[in-house]
Amino acid sequence: SSVCDHLDKLLQATPQLASTCEAFAAHSSRVIDAHARNKQLANNQAAVLELLELPQLMDTCVRNGVYDEALDLQAYVARMSLLHADLPVVK
C-alpha cells in the first residue's frame, strides 16, 4: 500500500537525517561560539579602542611636553598589565 511505501522510505531516510542533524548541530555550535565572542568584543569595543590608542596618545603627550599626563598614562598601562597580564593587547 501507499502508506507502507512512504513509511519504508521514511525509515530508510532516518539515519541520513540523523547524521545531517548532528552535523548541523556541530556547525551551529561553532557559529554560536563565534557570535558570543563577537558580542563580547562589541560590548568591550570602547575599552579595546582606548587601549589601542594609548601608544599614540603617549607619543602626543611626550611630543607636546605634557610629561605629567604621559607619566599618568604609563602608570595606567602598568596597572593594566598587572591586572590583565594574560591579554596580548596589554603586553
Side-chain angles (χ1 to χ4, degrees):
S1 80
S2 175
V3 173
C4 289
D5 291 339
H6 288 296
L7 287 176
D8 286 340
K9 288 180 183 178
L10 179 62
L11 288 174
Q12 291 173 0
T14 302
Q16 182 182 358
L17 176 64
S19 66
T20 303
C21 287
E22 289 171 6
F24 175 78
H27 178 70
S28 64
S29 175
R30 290 189 300 269
V31 170
I32 289 170
D33 290 343
H35 175 72
R37 287 191 306 273
N38 288 339
K39 186 175 180 180
Q40 183 179 16
L41 178 61
N43 288 340
N44 296 318
Q45 181 180 4
V48 171
L49 185 61
E50 182 179 301
L51 286 174
L52 294 174
E53 290 177 341
L54 282 174
Q56 182 180 0
L57 184 57
M58 175 71 81
D59 182 62
T60 301
C61 287
V62 171
R63 286 181 189 272
N64 292 328
V66 191
Y67 301 114
D68 288 340
E69 283 79 2
L71 289 172
D72 289 343
L73 282 173
Q74 192 280 330
Y76 175 73
V77 169
R79 279 194 313 273
M80 293 301 290
S81 66
L82 288 175
L83 292 173
H84 304 288
D86 57 326
L87 297 176
V89 74
V90 177
K91 293 179 184 179

